[in-house]
Amino acid sequence: MDDVDAVRERKILVAVDGGEESMYALTWALKNVISQNSKDTIVLLYAKQPPVVFTALDGTGILRPRSFSGYLFSSDIANLAKYRDDLAESVIERARRLCRDLNNVKVEVRVEPGDPRDVICEAAEKVGADVLVMGTHGYGLIKRALLGSVSDHCSKKVKCPVLIVKRPNN
Amino acid sequence: MDDVDAVRERKILVAVDGGEESMYALTWALKNVISQNSKDTIVLLYAKQPPVVFTALDGTGILRPRSFSGYLFSSDIANLAKYRDDLAESVIERARRLCRDLNNVKVEVRVEPGDPRDVICEAAEKVGADVLVMGTHGYGLIKRALLGSVSDHCSKKVKCPVLIVKRPNN
């Protein structure tokens, strides 16, 4: 049992996204796992979903995203990219505020591009997380049914302890 | 976010069995989740596997367990029952000692008969656990391959937060 980490100087990786589930998980961890007086650092991790893949095979010169029935002009693409950036920023800002209000703890932020499943597993390794905290609904309903939940995937793959927090009545 | 429980007076349900994995999970939780000065109660839960089902269909009057190639006499059966009781007692005693040594916390013990998957999920509900702590290897290799791990099952079914602690290098 000698290799169990001590309480101090832990890195607590919390995966956040636009859903209430991840904010609930963060709140729960702040109240139940993170010590007020310790040297804990919360690492807020946001996975920025990859951009739609564009193809222009119909000779129009207008970019057409796969899985999208209409055409997109460059202004639309810029708007989409801006929307993704704004969303990431607003989620991180909300998570930061929770950390400040509930448990004035040290916070680091990582916004990384990619599928949440890969981003979270890789970050846990890179950061050297002592524990990974997640909500349960990182994907939409259909994608979750096809791929399994993000938390299922990560709890199997990640080596550090994983805390899965369900939002009540979900 | 108002419905997140406060830190005080939590019931922390820890599933223990004969494996090192569950003892590691308990140790990790004692060091990382349970506050020294809080009113936390650890509930140590041990699932006593159901006894072998006996049949006596061959007319010998000697009880023969399913999935067992030889015959068992009543003294063997008594020995098996005693072995199961002794095992439960020694696991609980070891877990109690860890709680005493690491984090002089209040401890309750539940030894319940049944499959660990069912016992753990039902106990989480009955006890009103604030968090369920588990190691990752509650079954043997073959049974785990067939049924999935106990932790997979429970993390899907249980409503409270679930902390899955893997033993390093496992």
Side-chain angles (χ1 to χ4, degrees):
Chain A
M1 296 298 146
D2 296 337
D3 47 354
V4 172
D5 296 322
V7 175
R8 304 296 151 201
E9 299 193 42
R10 299 177 307 177
K11 288 223 167 180
I12 294 160
L13 181 64
V14 184
V16 292
D17 57 33
E20 286 304 309
E21 293 76 14
S22 70
M23 291 297 156
Y24 183 85
L26 171 60
T27 310
W28 197 93
L30 283 164
K31 289 201 175 186
N32 287 276
V33 180
I34 294 146
S35 322
Q36 281 281 5
N37 304 316
S38 76
K39 291 173 185 164
D40 286 343
T41 299
I42 287 206
V43 183
L44 298 171
L45 175 66
Y46 181 89
K48 211 191 265 188
Q49 299 269 8
V52 186
V53 178
F54 292 96
T55 54
L57 298 177
D58 55 0
T60 60
I62 299 169
L63 291 174
R64 188 177 191 194
R66 281 184 200 152
S67 76
F68 189 80
S69 59
Y71 287 91
L72 284 183
F73 295 93
S74 56
S75 60
D76 298 317
I77 297 165
N79 284 342
L80 273 179
K82 186 173 180 316
Y83 170 76
R84 287 173 60 236
D85 291 345
D86 288 350
L87 182 62
E89 207 171 295
S90 93
V91 170
I92 289 293
E93 180 47 37
R94 192 171 164 211
R96 269 188 192 281
R97 214 165 35 237
L98 280 175
C99 297
R100 207 165 43 229
D101 293 350
L102 283 176
N103 197 322
N104 205 15
V105 71
K106 266 184 294 177
V107 175
E108 281 175 22
V109 170
R110 295 177 79 101
V111 178
E112 309 216 351
D115 184 291
R117 295 152 57 105
D118 305 325
V119 167
I120 294 168
C121 293
E122 283 162 22
E125 199 77 32
K126 270 193 257 174
V127 163
D130 289 280
V131 57
L132 164 64
V133 180
M134 310 184 67
T136 41
H137 292 190
Y139 274 145
L141 195 63
I142 294 169
K143 199 167 181 184
R144 197 164 64 243
L146 291 172
L147 295 178
S149 75
V150 180
S151 54
D152 278 357
H153 177 88
C154 296
S155 67
K156 282 192 187 79
K157 207 165 168 201
V158 159
K159 286 181 190 151
C160 68
V162 178
L163 174 64
I164 299 170
V165 184
K166 287 180 193 168
R167 201 164 156 232
N169 304 321
N170 264 14
Chain B
M1 299 295 146
D2 296 337
D3 48 354
V4 172
D5 297 323
V7 175
R8 303 297 150 200
E9 298 194 42
R10 300 175 306 176
K11 287 223 167 182
I12 294 161
L13 181 65
V14 184
V16 291
D17 56 33
E20 285 304 307
E21 293 76 14
S22 70
M23 291 298 156
Y24 183 85
L26 171 61
T27 310
W28 197 93
L30 282 164
K31 288 201 175 183
N32 288 275
V33 181
I34 294 146
S35 323
Q36 282 281 3
N37 304 316
S38 77
K39 292 175 185 163
D40 287 342
T41 299
I42 286 206
V43 184
L44 297 172
L45 175 67
Y46 181 88
K48 210 191 267 189
Q49 299 269 10
V52 186
V53 179
F54 292 96
T55 54
L57 297 178
D58 55 0
T60 61
I62 298 170
L63 291 174
R64 188 178 190 192
R66 280 182 201 154
S67 75
F68 188 81
S69 59
Y71 287 92
L72 282 184
F73 296 93
S74 57
S75 61
D76 298 317
I77 296 164
N79 284 343
L80 272 180
K82 186 173 181 317
Y83 170 75
R84 286 172 60 236
D85 291 344
D86 288 350
L87 182 62
E89 208 170 295
S90 93
V91 170
I92 289 294
E93 181 46 36
R94 192 172 165 208
R96 268 189 192 279
R97 214 165 35 237
L98 279 175
C99 296
R100 207 166 41 229
D101 293 348
L102 283 176
N103 198 320
N104 204 16
V105 70
K106 265 185 295 179
V107 175
E108 282 174 22
V109 171
R110 296 177 79 102
V111 177
E112 310 215 351
D115 184 291
R117 295 152 57 106
D118 305 324
V119 166
I120 294 168
C121 293
E122 282 162 24
E125 198 76 30
K126 270 192 258 174
V127 163
D130 290 280
V131 57
L132 164 65
V133 180
M134 310 183 67
T136 41
H137 293 190
Y139 274 146
L141 195 64
I142 295 170
K143 198 166 180 184
R144 196 164 66 243
L146 291 171
L147 296 176
S149 75
V150 180
S151 54
D152 278 358
H153 176 88
C154 297
S155 67
K156 284 193 186 78
K157 207 165 170 201
V158 159
K159 286 180 189 150
C160 68
V162 177
L163 174 65
I164 299 170
V165 183
K166 287 180 195 169
R167 200 164 156 230
N169 304 321
N170 266 13

